[in-house]
Amino acid sequence: MAAEPGDNALASVLRVGAGLLRRHGLLLALVFAGLLLPLWVFGELADEIHENESIAFDEPILRFAHAAAREGLDEFFVFMSKLGYSGGVVPFDIAFVLALTALRKYREAVFAAVALGGSALLNLGAKLFFARDRPSLWESIAPETTYSFPSGHAMGSMTLACVLVLLAWHTRWRWAVLVLMVPFVLLVGLSRVYLGVHYPSDILAGWAVATAWVAAVYLLVYRVNGRPWRRVVLPAADD
C-alpha cells in the first residue's frame, strides 16, 4: 500500500524535530527552564506584590522558621547571610571577572561581568519600583533598612551560581560546581527567611529573575553555536 501524503508530512516533521532536538536540545532547555519559566514565576509574584496582595505561603513559612530559631542556628545563618553578599559573593564576583580578564578569557569575562553586574543593577531598580517593606513579625538579629522585593542576596548568589554552572557545563567540573552551588544558594536564601528580613516570595523572585537574566546574557554572548572556553577566531580584514 502506498504511503499517504499526510504520513509523509508527519514523518518529515518528526524527522526535522528530532534533528532540532539533537542539535539544539540543550539550547532549547536553557530557553525554557532558564528563561521562560523563571520569567513566568517572577511575573506571577511581581503582579501580586504590585497589587499589594499578600502571598499565602509567606507568613506561615516565616513563623515556622522563627519557631526553629536556636543560638547555634543564629550564628550559622548570620554567617551564611554575610557570605551571600558582602562577605563572600561580591568580592568573589570582582575577583572572578578580574581573573578571567588576566587569563585573556575575554568572552567569559564579559559574560560574567555583564551577568553579575547587571543582576545587581536589576535588583536595585526592582527594589525601588516595587518598594515592598521588610517583614516585621519579630525583631531581627540582623536587621535591614532597604526594600524587600526581590532579595538581593538571593539574586546575587543565584546569579553567581548560574554563571559558574554555565561556564563549567562543558567541562569536567560541572558536577562539582553544581554540588557546591546548589546548597550554597539554598542556604543563603534560607538564611534571609530565618533572620526574618525577607519573605519567602522575595527569595523565589530573586532566584527567578537572576536565572532568567543570566540565561539571557549567556544566549546573547554565546548565541546558538558558541560555547565557553572556545578560542574566538576573528575574520581576517579585507585588503
Side-chain angles (χ1 to χ4, degrees), residues 32-70:
F32 178 76
L35 191 61
L36 300 181
L37 186 59
L39 284 177
W40 174 77
V41 171
F42 179 77
E44 290 292 316
L45 294 171
D47 183 61
E48 296 296 317
I49 302 304
H50 189 57
E51 295 180 357
N52 293 318
E53 297 286 341
S54 61
I55 297 177
F57 58 79
D58 272 342
E59 187 171 328
I61 293 177
L62 274 169
R63 293 193 180 280
F64 177 82
H66 187 53
R70 303 289 186 274

Side-chain angles (χ1 to χ4, degrees), residues 133-230:
D133 291 331
R134 298 272 179 174
S136 57
L137 298 180
W138 67 87
E139 185 176 352
S140 174
I141 59 174
E144 298 280 0
T145 57
T146 57
Y147 291 123
S148 185
F149 183 91
S151 165
H153 283 67
M155 278 189 70
S157 58
M158 179 60 86
T159 301
L160 177 59
C162 289
V163 166
L164 294 179
V165 168
L166 286 172
L167 288 178
W169 191 254
H170 294 287
T171 74
R172 61 180 177 175
W173 300 104
R174 62 177 171 181
W175 298 118
V177 172
L178 273 172
V179 167
L180 286 174
M181 296 313 296
V182 169
F184 174 71
V185 169
L186 291 174
L187 286 172
V188 170
L190 181 57
S191 74
R192 305 304 283 165
V193 175
Y194 178 90
L195 295 173
V197 293
H198 273 298
Y199 294 101
S201 55
D202 298 334
I203 306 300
L204 289 178
W207 287 343
V209 72
T211 302
W213 169 249
V214 175
V217 176
Y218 183 88
L219 293 172
L220 179 64
V221 173
Y222 293 102
R223 301 189 181 180
V224 174
N225 296 316
R227 181 180 292 184
W229 313 116
R230 282 184 174 178

